[in-house]
Amino acid sequence: PGITEMGNFIFRNCLPETVVIPNTIRVTHEKLGYSKVSIIYGNDDPYTVGAYESFRTALENTPGITIVSTDTVHKGDNKFTDQLNRVKAANPDVIVLAVLVNEASRIMVQAKNLEFPDSIRFIGGNSFNTSKLWQQAGTAAQGAICGSAWIHTENTPGNTQFIDDYVSHYGSTPDQFAAQAYASIYIIADALKRSSVISSDTLRASLANTSNLETILGTFS
């Protein structure tokens, strides 16, 4: 929250968590019908604190949901036994993780080692969108859910070519962050084409006036 407000020349081509997370809760609640939620969040990072606030607000505003426990972690933590034992005692239907990917994957692995039932799903924010999650957590990440601005099966203009080129160059499938970086170049290029002269102010005005541009993320304005 607040990134684009930091300066007059700052743009983003990804949805903020304040938009994604309420929809994630709405859709998952409709599909899974859960009522008891435990939250684990990082209290020492602006992203994770912001994600936690969005999750907490969305959960509190959804009828039929009760937050049964809340625990905190820190960047770089490796052991989460105490937090997970408290979560297990609270007997939630789902666990919300507002943490960075390294902590998220460790929590999932340790929950599996503590024999959390497979029926308890992990729901997360943007940090779940990196391939590092399943690379580090393996099968412990199975069933985890998050909202995403992009997925490789999207039928958007140029998406198939982007994926083929990416795999050919890097030898792995792109994630959301690669797709957003790729789309940002096309958004900037489009703005440059519409700029009468090449200057910071002219480019900024062109970016602000971007409308209905087809990208691999979808139609962008």
Side-chain angles (χ1 to χ4, degrees):
I3 288 176
T4 55
E5 288 75 33
M6 290 169 63
N8 198 37
F9 287 78
I10 299 175
F11 295 83
R12 63 189 295 163
N13 69 350
C14 56
L15 294 170
E17 294 286 51
T18 51
V19 174
V20 176
I21 284 174
N23 279 291
T24 302
I25 294 301
R26 177 182 59 80
V27 172
T28 56
H29 187 240
E30 289 174 356
K31 295 289 185 180
L32 301 177
Y34 53 82
S35 58
K36 296 185 294 180
V37 179
S38 287
I39 302 175
I40 299 176
Y41 77 97
N43 64 356
D44 59 348
D45 181 87
Y47 161 72
T48 56
V49 172
Y52 161 68
E53 293 293 345
S54 293
F55 270 121
R56 182 180 57 80
T57 300
L59 291 166
E60 290 176 345
N61 290 337
T62 303
I65 290 180
T66 301
I67 299 172
V68 294
S69 70
T70 301
D71 276 278
T72 61
V73 300
H74 303 102
K75 283 187 287 188
D77 283 355
N78 291 299
K79 189 174 181 181
F80 305 98
T81 305
D82 292 343
Q83 293 95 328
L84 287 170
N85 280 333
R86 286 191 289 269
V87 169
K88 200 170 189 179
N91 192 31
D93 303 312
V94 300
I95 301 170
V96 162
L97 295 183
V99 298
L100 299 176
V101 63
N102 290 335
E103 288 72 56
S105 57
R106 292 169 190 152
I107 288 169
M108 290 177 180
V109 169
Q110 290 174 36
K112 189 177 182 69
N113 292 339
L114 289 170
E115 299 183 343
F116 274 57
D118 292 337
S119 59
I120 298 178
R121 306 287 284 273
F122 288 99
I123 299 175
N126 216 21
S127 63
F128 276 27
N129 278 314
T130 171
S131 57
K132 286 184 179 180
L133 184 72
W134 59 86
Q135 289 168 0
Q136 295 176 171
T139 57
Q142 184 66 38
I145 302 172
C146 65
S148 179
W150 175 88
I151 193 167
H152 69 278
T153 54
E154 280 290 309
N155 187 28
T156 48
N159 200 40
T160 300
Q161 187 65 51
F162 159 65
I163 295 167
D164 289 346
D165 290 345
Y166 189 97
V167 171
S168 175
H169 189 79
Y170 293 106
S172 61
T173 304
D175 59 16
Q176 171 187 301
F177 304 109
Q180 286 172 173
Y182 182 87
S184 71
I185 298 300
Y186 279 84
I187 294 168
I188 292 170
D190 173 73
L192 284 168
K193 289 176 184 177
R194 292 184 285 103
S195 300
S196 56
V197 295
I198 304 302
S199 71
S200 298
D201 290 325
T202 305
L203 178 56
R204 189 224 173 272
S206 294
L207 278 169
N209 290 324
T210 300
S211 179
N212 297 321
L213 178 66
E214 294 297 332
T215 77
I216 62 170
L217 302 179
T219 306
F220 186 84
S221 297

